[in-house]
Amino acid sequence: MLLYIIFAVIVGLLFHGIHRKVIARIQTRPGPPIWQEFLHVMKFSFKQTWIPKTASKVLFVAIVPAVIAIWAGALYVLFTGGSLLVIFGVYLLHKITEHGLGLSSGSPYGKLGAIRSVLSAASEIPLIASIAGIYFVTGSLMISDIVAYQADHGILLITALPIALAMYVIILSKVPYSPFGIIEAKEIVSGNKTEHFGAFRAGLEVGFALKTFVLLAVFVTLFIGAMPFWMLLIASLILLLTMSFICALTPMLSPYDAVTIQIGVIIIVIIYMAFIAFAGGMP
């Protein structure tokens, strides 16, 4: 499992580098090399690390290993075919760490990022809708059962496209430079990460790399099904590239616009499930 975690971190950092490069090329900029995120982690690892005087010291330090731990746990659940509810719980815990990350430093910019994290909690509602929709269609929330369902009835990406759309928006809101990334908007510097520097920032980058890998792999597994690991990586990369295009061409949304769009996605999923119920089941 440790090797899986290390490999997931490496792939996640590489995906972040590719994501940045694609965004830059679409915007007619040269962009950084795709290994830039590895350089960032190494650079931060050896820079001076400090704790602000205004910080809640225990929370300021503990939040970093907490981010790594929850996504390492999500990775384990994914590869063992466990419950999708656990992934949902990890996602909620990540929102809590986002909030704690900003509040723990005492920085006004970090606090503003933390407040926006609470406001953007509406992104959990499409997640609830997508999980409910998957259960409505497959009759199970175990990842292994959902994979087996697709083997018998076809991939959910085709048969349950609105549910996949809801999950897609959720993941899009968590990739770097997302139009939904209101907690790290430029007008608040680095948002909730403003004061975490040095080894703390390196640890956060490791945790966020795990997060990206897990969320992409969860989407591919839930809506396309089981596949060899190398195909999972390719499918996850293709999924990320579609999001890179959106991030490159879409400006940062205001907090209220971000919430409105996410609520609109929920309505689409509800209408879809109502249609299935009225029609008497999946086609």
Side-chain angles (χ1 to χ4, degrees), residues 5-208:
I5 293 172
I6 294 173
F7 184 77
V9 170
I10 293 173
V11 173
L13 290 173
L14 181 62
F15 278 5
H16 283 176
I18 294 173
H19 180 61
R20 289 187 64 184
K21 188 70 171 181
V22 171
I23 290 175
R25 300 303 291 179
I26 293 173
Q27 296 174 344
T28 66
R29 298 182 288 109
I34 62 174
W35 55 84
Q36 184 65 47
E37 301 304 313
F38 294 99
L39 300 179
H40 278 326
V41 171
M42 293 178 60
K43 174 185 71 175
F44 285 127
S45 297
F46 293 99
K47 279 187 173 290
Q48 182 180 1
T49 301
W50 66 84
I51 301 176
K53 290 183 178 180
T54 56
S56 171
K57 294 180 174 55
V58 174
L59 182 59
F60 187 87
V61 175
I63 209 74
V64 177
V67 172
I68 298 173
I70 61 174
W71 288 109
L75 181 67
Y76 176 79
V77 172
L78 172 63
F79 283 140
T80 56
S83 174
L84 192 56
L85 285 177
V86 178
I87 304 293
F88 173 61
V90 168
Y91 190 91
L92 292 182
L93 286 174
H94 182 76
K95 294 297 295 184
I96 294 173
T97 61
E98 284 181 344
H99 188 61
L101 201 62
L103 291 181
S104 64
S105 68
S107 163
Y109 298 106
K111 289 180 179 178
L112 186 54
I115 292 170
R116 287 186 174 184
S117 176
V118 175
L119 181 62
S120 67
S123 63
E124 271 77 73
I125 303 177
L127 181 58
I128 296 171
S130 61
I131 291 176
I134 289 174
Y135 181 78
F136 188 78
V137 171
T138 66
S140 176
L141 288 178
M142 295 298 293
I143 296 175
S144 56
D145 292 340
I146 297 168
V147 169
Y149 176 91
Q150 292 180 95
D152 294 334
H153 299 87
I155 63 175
L156 292 177
L157 186 61
I158 296 176
T159 59
L161 183 60
I163 299 173
L165 173 63
M167 185 72 77
Y168 184 90
V169 171
I170 292 161
I171 299 174
L172 175 62
S173 70
K174 290 302 174 191
V175 298
Y177 314 107
S178 166
F180 295 97
I182 57 177
I183 66 172
E184 298 175 12
K186 297 300 182 182
E187 73 270 16
I188 51 175
V189 196
S190 298
N192 62 340
K193 297 187 296 183
T194 297
E195 296 295 338
H196 279 77
F197 204 74
F200 296 134
R201 179 60 69 87
L204 288 176
E205 296 302 325
V206 167
F208 294 154

